[in-house]
Each structure stands twice: as C-alpha cells, then as structure tokens.
Amino acid sequence: MITPSPARRRLTRAPFLDAVAGRTPTRTPVWFMRQAGRSLPEYREIRAGVGMLESCFRPDLLTEITLQPVRRHDVDAAILFSDIVVPLKAAGVGVDIVPGRGPVMDHPVRTRADVDALPVLEEPVAEVGEGISGILDGLRDDQVLIGFAGAPFTLASYLVEGGPSKNHRHTKALMHTEPETWHALMERLVPTVTAFLSGQIAAGVDAVQLFDSWAGYLSEYDYREHVLPYSRRIFEAVAGAEIPRIHFGVTTGELLADMAQAGPEVVGVDWRVPLDRAAERIFRAAGPKVLQGNLDPALLFAGPDVVRAEVERIRAAARRAVDEGYATGHIFNLGHGVLPETPAEAVTEAVRIVHETD
Ligand code: CP3
C-alpha cells in the first residue's frame, strides 16, 4: 500500500496544485511535455558523450537536466528527466535508446515464453530517487515536480514490436490471436510500472503523469478490453499517495471518456480536440476533471503573434468548460512534446505569453 510520502514538500502556493484543487491560481500554471531535452543548448552540452539511458541512471545528470527548463523558461512544473523504458532497463530487460529512433529491444516479446521470462521490477530505482531529492532541493515552493511512467500498453507496444512502430501491427495481432498471452504481458507490466511510480512517490514527487502515448492507435473496443483495466489498476495503486494523477495520450480524442475512467484527476488533451469539447466528453463519462493542454507544438515555430492568439483561444475554451461545470480547472501545456528543433527562446516566450494573458 502506498501512503503519502514523508519526503513530499508541503506546498501552499503552487499554481499547479491550486488549479488541480479547483482553487484560483495566482497565475495559469504551465509546463511543457519534453521541456527538458534537445531544444535546450545546455542539455545538448551536458549530454555530449553520455548515452540517453546512461544519463537517466546518473542522479547528478538527471537532477541538472530536469532543472534546466525550469530555470530558463520559468515554468510552474518540472517533469522528471527519465524515460518510459527506465523501469524495464532497471528490471534487467535488454533495451537501448537509439538517437533519432527511440527505445529498441534486444529481443521482441512475442510468445507466452517471452512473456513469462520478462523481468519484473520489484524495487524502486535508487538512482531516480536520489535524483529526485536533488531536484526538490532546487525547486521553489511554488514549483512542483511531476514524476511519470509509461502506461502498460505503450510499454507493451515497444516490447512486442521490438522498437518504435508506425502501425503497432505485431501488438494488435498478439491481442487478437493470443489474448491470454496479451493479458499475461499486461499483468507483468503492472507491478513494474507501479514500482517505478512508487519509488518516485517515496522520494517526494508532487504529482505523477501516466503516459499512454500510443493509445490513440487503438479502437475503442481494444482500448476497453485490452488496456483500460491495467491503466486503472495503476491509478488505483498510487491513489493512496494523495497527489494529483495525470493521464495523457496522443490522438486520443475518441478515447478521452475511457481514459478518464482509468481514474486520474487531470486529463491531458492533444491539440486536435478543443478543450471545451474534450471536457464535455470527459464529464459525461467520469464527472468533471482538470484539463491539461493543448497548444499544437508545431505552432511554437509560427512566431509570438500566432502563439498569443492560440493561447487566448485555448484559455477561452478552458474557461467555457469550467463555467459550464464540465471541468474544474486548467493546466496549460502543449498537445504533445516540444519538438527537438524548437528554438529555446520560442518556448520561453510561449510561457511568458501564458502567464501574461492571465
Ligand atoms: O522533458 C520531459 O518531458 C521529460 C523527459 C522525458 C523523456 N522521455 C526524455 C527523452 C519523458 C517524459 C519521456 C517519456 C517518453 N519516452 C514517452 C512518453 C511521452 C511522449 O513523448 O509521448 C515515450 C513514448 C518515450 C519513448 C522515447 N524515448 C522516444 C519516442 C524517444 C525519442 C527518440 C528520438 O531520438 O527522437 C525517446 C528518447 C528520449 N527520451 C529523448 C529524451 C530527451 C531524446 C534522446 C536524446 O536526447 O538523446
């Protein structure tokens, strides 16, 4: 059983936490997925000669890289610098992150024997916990730290495909031809994801986000039958920590209602669906939630006038959702991660615009 962590800071003036609790924040909280990473020259410099996964197991590096965008952009939340495959690597799975491609497995997981041999993470990842302590020391008390994990489906997709996939065909074939093997794989991933999150919670993160990045490739039927029960178990497992739980996936407009039923307080929305329409879908399935999103990351290349107009449009949609009772708050974010080529100055400017238009 996870209980509230003694390491958690008692924050009383963080806009992120105010927005989640339905209070009026002093300014609109904003953070961006992939705010740490290649858009920052200071990131490219510190990562020179160090492998991506290696950097995730070096507490000094993960502390510094997590704090870089907070210092530069004045965002209201830090997101832990790590990767969704870190718990797999820590459990002993053969995996590497190939630059320009993403996570690649030594051996794809395709049979019942492969599933039964898949290692399970039984303990928190110590290096990550150590890095989190360093991050918390470097944050102000109005800035939160968000921990995260990949949801079982998105992890399973990398495991079954053996790497990034455009159509997830091996994964979907496994679901339908060998449902028992599929369910056994998801059963094995739940404790690994839970252990990764509980280690972060014990170390003191202020919120957690479960990324089901590729869930949008699924039909509603497949999502409900093969994915939702396992994501729900993860949200239930961490409920006792009493910190905000966020759920997000890309192209999930048609799945928002189901993803909300997995149990998060906050639902991330990609840029394809207006926030007020997203809120209505979520509300009808799961009651009012907090919305997170949803500026198109490509528009960070379009200049400040376009960003200002979009920010205003998004904030107006969020306000409508709250006024109509379909949502209880809004955390500003992109609809997916910062693109690696984005000029760092454009990110800083976007954060300033969100804060300014309050
Ligand atoms: O700032 C942040 O958002 C925190 C760090 C973070 C990373 N990965 C760092 C990273 C987070 C939250 C993730 C999660 C992650 N990793 C997801 C879910 C979020 C999403 O984007 O949907 C997924 C699907 C992955 C898998 C993964 N890891 C991909 C697709 C890639 C990109 C491959 C590439 O080179 O284009 C990675 C590698 C990765 N993870 C990088 C970073 C900064 C780039 C590697 C590098 O800098 O060398």
Side-chain angles (χ1 to χ4, degrees):
M1 247 304 273
I2 297 182
T3 51
S5 167
R8 195 175 98 212
R9 301 170 302 157
R10 298 273 155 229
L11 304 179
T12 53
R13 46 187 220 97
F16 176 100
L17 295 179
D18 284 339
V20 175
R23 297 185 290 263
T24 305
T26 50
R27 65 184 193 184
T28 299
V30 49
W31 69 279
F32 291 157
M33 294 181 276
R34 291 278 168 96
Q35 62 190 17
R38 282 169 293 180
S39 61
L40 299 182
E42 57 271 34
Y43 170 81
R44 296 194 294 266
E45 191 178 317
I46 202 170
R47 273 283 321 283
V50 187
M52 172 65 199
L53 267 179
E54 186 191 340
S55 66
C56 296
F57 286 89
R58 294 242 322 249
D60 56 332
L61 281 184
L62 75 89
T63 295
E64 172 57 21
I65 295 172
T66 302
L67 291 172
Q68 283 176 346
V70 180
R71 283 189 211 116
R72 187 192 262 263
H73 304 312
D74 190 28
V75 280
D76 300 286
I79 172 100
L80 175 69
F81 179 79
S82 188
D83 195 85
I84 57 169
V85 295
V86 164
L88 299 177
K89 179 81 180 173
V93 176
V95 52
D96 201 5
I97 295 181
V98 178
R101 246 191 107 196
V104 176
M105 306 294 148
D106 293 352
H107 308 286
V109 174
R110 302 250 170 102
T111 65
R112 182 60 200 239
D114 294 338
V115 170
D116 291 342
L118 186 73
V120 172
L121 183 70
E122 273 155 13
E123 307 213 323
V125 184
E127 296 89 339
V128 172
E130 215 180 299
I132 288 172
S133 305
I135 297 163
L136 295 176
D137 288 342
L139 290 174
R140 297 193 309 252
D141 65 1
D142 58 346
Q143 297 166 326
V144 299
L145 173 60
I146 302 169
F148 77 91
F153 167 70
T154 291
L155 287 178
S157 165
Y158 282 108
L159 287 165
V160 176
E161 303 295 332
S165 167
K166 285 209 162 60
N167 43 39
H168 307 266
R169 64 197 169 100
H170 295 290
T171 313
K172 291 180 180 183
L174 182 68
M175 272 179 193
H176 286 269
T177 58
E178 286 189 54
E180 280 177 21
T181 303
W182 172 261
H183 288 291
L185 173 57
M186 296 298 269
E187 288 285 348
R188 258 183 122 71
L189 287 170
V190 167
T192 294
V193 173
T194 306
F196 189 45
L197 285 176
S198 37
Q200 297 174 36
I201 289 166
V205 297
D206 305 296
V208 286
Q209 175 155 325
L210 191 67
F211 281 94
D212 212 351
S213 299
W214 313 141
Y217 283 88
L218 295 169
S219 68
E220 181 186 88
Y221 169 79
D222 276 343
Y223 183 79
R224 288 183 183 169
E225 178 69 20
H226 296 110
V227 174
L228 175 59
Y230 304 99
S231 296
R232 182 181 283 139
R233 268 166 54 190
I234 290 166
F235 281 112
E236 281 167 2
V238 299
E242 295 173 10
I243 57 175
R245 298 165 297 165
I246 313 168
H247 202 13
F248 170 76
V250 192
T251 337
T252 49
E254 293 299 327
L255 294 178
L256 285 171
D258 293 287
M259 290 181 73
Q261 287 186 351
E265 284 74 33
V266 183
V267 179
V269 181
D270 89 354
W271 68 90
R272 292 169 180 87
V273 192
L275 285 184
D276 48 346
R277 196 178 313 155
E280 206 173 325
R281 291 179 184 180
I282 293 163
F283 172 81
R284 299 210 186 284
K289 303 269 181 195
V290 179
L291 305 167
Q292 180 173 277
N294 67 345
L295 177 67
D296 184 342
L299 290 181
L300 292 179
F301 293 84
D305 292 345
V306 171
V307 170
R308 187 166 293 108
E310 281 296 296
V311 166
E312 275 165 15
R313 193 181 58 70
I314 290 163
R315 288 168 46 91
R319 242 187 332 264
R320 269 196 305 280
V322 172
D323 289 348
E324 286 164 357
Y326 293 141
T328 58
H330 178 216
I331 296 161
F332 202 97
N333 205 312
L334 301 178
H336 195 192
V338 175
L339 297 165
E341 309 78 18
T342 313
E345 295 71 26
V347 180
T348 309
E349 181 70 12
V351 172
R352 190 166 31 235
I353 288 168
V354 174
H355 285 151
E356 236 174 49
T357 51
D358 270 343

